[in-house]
Amino acid sequence: MESKTPSFVRSQMLPPQPPPTRESGVVKWLHENLFSSWLNGILTVVGLIILALIIKSALPWWLNGVWHASSLGECREIIAASAGEGATGACWAVIRERWHQFIFGFYPPALWWRPILAFGLLFVAIGPVLYAGQKRVLTTMIGSAFLGLLITLWLASAPAMVFVGLVVLLGALAALAQTRPGALLWFTAAFPALCFLLLWGGSFWTPVMAMAGFAILAVVARLLAGRVGAPVAVGLGIVAAVIWWLYVSGPVAGAFASVAPLGLEPVKSDQFGGFLLAIVIGVTAISCSLPVGILLALGRQSNMFIVKTLSVGFIEFIRGVPLITLLFTASLLLQYFLPPNTQFDIILRVIILVTFFAAAYLAEVIRGGLAALPRGQYEAADALGLDYWQAQRLIIMPQALKVSIPGIVSTFIGLFKDTTLVAFVGLMDPLKGVTQIVRADINWKGIYWEPYIYVGAIFFLICFGMSRYSMYLERKLKTDHR
C-alpha cells in the first residue's frame, strides 16, 4: 500500500517569531506594573507628577550644597555667589565640622580608639550568633573587622600596644574560626565585660566581678538542678548572683584592685552621646531582651499559678506604660530601690528599663509563635520522653522562634529607634540631644534640615541592615514551611 501524507499536516516548521511587543521587555513590565488598569494608570500618572514636583523643588537644594564653611552665614554667602541671590542650598559643612559629636558625643578625643575598638569587636562577637558554624563567613567577618580597625584606630591615633593586642586577639579568633568555630561563643559571652571596660574604663576587676556573678548563677543552677528541679535551681542561682553583685563583688573587686591595680582611664556617662550612646543602649537592650522575652512567654503559658500571674502582670504593666514613663523611672526612682550609697550609672539604669520594655513586647510576639505550633509538636515531645525544658529547647522553641522572626526583628528595629527618647532624661542622643547642642552654637544657629537628614540616614542604614538580615534568616530557615 502506498503511503500518502495528508494535506493538512505541515511538512516544514515555521521559523520562530518574536513575541508581540506588548508581551515582552519594558512594555510588558510597564503594562503589568504601572498601567494594568485605568485606575492603576491614573495613580501612576499622579504619582509621577508628585514625584517630579518634589524633585524640582528639592534638587537645587541638594545640588547647591556646601561642604567647606565655618558658619551658616558663610554657607549662604558661598551659595549666593555660586547659584545667585535667593538660591537655596544645603550646608553640609555643619556635619563636616561636628561629625565627632554626632558619633561620640563628648567622649574625650584622645580616647576615641576605645569605642572604635569596642564597635569593631562587636562585629566579631555577634558573628558566632548570626552565622553559627560557618567557618568561611566567620573568618571573613574577623578579617574585615581587623582591616577596618587597623585603619580607624590609626586615624584615631591609638597607642601601639592596642595594635599589638588587636593582632594577637583577632589572630587567635581567626584560628578558632577555622578549627573550632563553636568556641567563638566564649568570646561572645565575654564581650559585654570587655565592652564595658573599653567604654567606661575604670578598674579591670569591676567587669570581671560582674561576670563572676553569672558564673555563680550557672554553678548554683547546675548543682541544684538535680535536687530541686531546674526552675527552682535557676531562681536560687539568680538570688545568689544578686547577692554577689550587691554586697560581695564590690569589696572583692576593691581587694583585687589594691593588689593588682589594672584598668583604663575612667569616662563618665555624661560624656557619652551621639550614635555611641544609641548603639550602646540599642545593642545591649536587644541582646538582653530576647532571653527575657522568651522566659516571659513561657511563664505566661505556664500551668503554675504564681509564675503565670507574675508574667502576665509584668507584661501587661510594661505594655500599658509609655516608654517615656519608664525612662523617667530609670532616671529618678530606680535609685531609691537600691542599697544606700549605691552609685548606679544612669546609662545602665536606662538599659535595664528599655530591656524590660522590649522584653514585654517580645514575649507577646513569641507567644504568638508558640500558639501557631500544632498540638502534635507538644505531643511528639512527650512521646519522646523529654522533660519540659528539653522539649522547649529541642523542639518547641526553635520552631516558635522561626515563626516569630519577622515580629522579633520589627521589635528590635523599633527598640533601636526608640533610643532617641533618652534625650528626655538628659542623655545626648544623636537626634535631639546633639542636634540641639550643635544648633545652640552661634555659628550654626538657624540650621535645621542637615543634622536631621544625616542622623536619619545613619538610622536608616542600621535598621535596613537588620531588616535584610531578617529576610536572609527567613529564607535560610524557610519560615513559610515550603
Side-chain angles (χ1 to χ4, degrees):
M1 178 179 293
E2 184 180 355
S3 63
K4 184 177 181 182
T5 303
S7 60
F8 56 85
V9 176
R10 186 184 299 278
S11 59
Q12 292 182 344
M13 294 298 294
L14 292 175
Q17 299 294 322
T21 306
R22 187 175 175 180
E23 298 299 328
S24 65
V26 178
V27 176
K28 179 183 179 183
W29 186 88
L30 291 173
H31 179 262
E32 291 181 349
N33 295 279
L34 301 180
F35 300 99
S36 59
S37 64
W38 64 269
L39 179 60
N40 193 3
I42 293 175
L43 292 177
T44 298
V45 172
V46 172
L48 291 175
I49 292 174
I50 295 174
L51 184 63
L53 292 176
I54 293 174
I55 293 176
K56 182 182 178 182
S57 61
L59 192 60
W61 187 82
W62 290 88
L63 294 178
N64 296 332
V66 175
W67 286 91
H68 297 275
S70 58
S71 66
L72 181 59
E74 187 177 349
C75 273
R76 289 172 175 170
E77 292 176 358
I78 295 174
I79 294 170
S82 60
E85 290 295 333
T88 59
C91 186
W92 301 113
V94 64
I95 305 299
R96 188 171 179 273
E97 289 284 324
R98 298 299 186 91
W99 66 270
H100 51 86
Q101 289 184 339
F102 284 101
I103 301 297
F104 298 106
F106 288 98
Y107 208 89
L111 304 179
W112 282 353
W113 64 269
R114 282 161 49 176
I116 291 173
L117 182 59
F119 188 68
L121 293 179
L122 171 66
F123 283 96
V124 181
I126 64 175
V129 179
L130 300 182
Y131 304 99
Q134 301 185 36
K135 296 181 180 180
R136 183 176 179 181
V137 177
L138 292 174
T139 306
T140 303
M141 290 186 69
I142 294 173
S144 303
F146 177 71
L147 294 177
L149 283 173
L150 277 183
I151 298 172
T152 51
L153 289 175
W154 176 72
L155 294 174
S157 303
M161 288 302 297
V162 176
F163 291 95
V164 176
L166 180 68
V167 171
V168 174
L169 175 63
L170 294 190
L173 293 177
L176 275 179
Q178 288 297 320
T179 55
R180 297 177 57 197
L184 289 176
L185 288 173
W186 288 104
F187 178 73
T188 304
F191 177 74
L194 177 60
C195 182
F196 179 88
L197 179 64
L198 287 173
L199 293 180
W200 275 272
S203 173
F204 168 78
W205 301 106
T206 300
V208 172
M209 293 301 115
M211 296 302 291
F214 291 102
I216 291 173
L217 190 158
V219 170
V220 171
R222 188 178 183 85
L223 292 177
L224 298 181
R227 301 179 182 179
V228 297
V232 178
V234 172
L236 293 175
I238 293 175
V239 172
V242 171
I243 293 174
W244 168 267
W245 287 325
L246 292 181
Y247 300 104
V248 184
S249 63
V252 174
F256 276 100
S258 62
V259 177
L262 304 175
L264 297 173
E265 179 181 341
V267 178
K268 296 181 179 179
S269 291
D270 56 5
Q271 294 176 291
F272 284 61
F275 282 100
L276 170 62
L277 179 66
I279 292 175
V280 166
I281 296 176
V283 172
T284 309
I286 286 173
S287 304
C288 298
S289 61
L290 182 59
V292 177
I294 292 174
L295 293 177
L296 288 173
L298 294 176
R300 183 155 190 165
Q301 289 198 329
S302 174
N303 295 325
M304 293 186 285
F305 176 77
I306 296 297
V307 174
K308 183 174 183 177
T309 303
L310 291 177
S311 300
V312 172
F314 179 88
I315 293 171
E316 297 301 334
F317 173 76
I318 294 294
R319 289 202 307 164
V321 176
L323 180 57
I324 293 291
T325 306
L326 296 178
L327 292 176
F328 280 119
T329 302
S331 175
L332 303 174
L333 299 179
L334 194 60
Q335 195 75 16
Y336 291 106
F337 298 97
L338 299 174
N341 300 323
T342 301
Q343 297 297 327
F344 203 30
D345 191 272
I346 177 64
I347 295 179
L348 297 183
R349 280 182 274 165
V350 167
I351 288 175
I352 291 174
L353 270 298
V354 172
T355 299
F356 287 163
F357 186 81
Y361 282 89
L362 280 176
E364 289 301 282
V365 172
I366 297 171
R367 187 170 70 90
L370 291 171
L373 295 183
R375 183 63 188 168
Q377 297 298 316
Y378 295 88
E379 295 173 350
D382 294 337
L384 291 174
L386 302 178
D387 61 23
Y388 177 80
W389 293 106
Q390 289 175 328
Q392 295 297 331
R393 181 168 59 90
L394 299 175
I395 295 181
I396 305 301
M397 197 51 67
Q399 299 182 71
L401 291 178
K402 186 178 69 174
V403 174
S404 307
I405 285 175
I408 291 174
V409 176
S410 296
T411 306
F412 286 164
I413 291 175
L415 167 64
F416 184 68
K417 291 189 297 183
D418 285 345
T419 56
T420 56
L421 296 177
V422 299
F424 292 99
V425 294
L427 296 176
M428 291 182 294
D429 78 299
L431 188 64
K432 187 172 186 294
V434 175
T435 300
Q436 282 190 342
I437 291 173
V438 171
R439 294 173 64 190
D441 189 337
I442 191 64
N443 289 325
W444 305 109
K445 199 171 185 63
I447 203 160
Y448 190 77
W449 288 103
E450 291 84 350
Y452 292 122
I453 292 175
Y454 173 69
V455 174
I458 295 182
F459 265 105
F460 172 78
L461 290 177
I462 296 175
C463 295
F464 183 71
M466 287 193 281
S467 174
R468 299 302 297 180
Y469 177 75
S470 167
M471 296 174 66
Y472 157 78
L473 205 57
E474 289 180 41
R475 290 194 300 271
K476 181 180 178 182
L477 299 177
K478 296 181 179 178
T479 56
D480 53 356
H481 300 285
R482 286 177 297 181

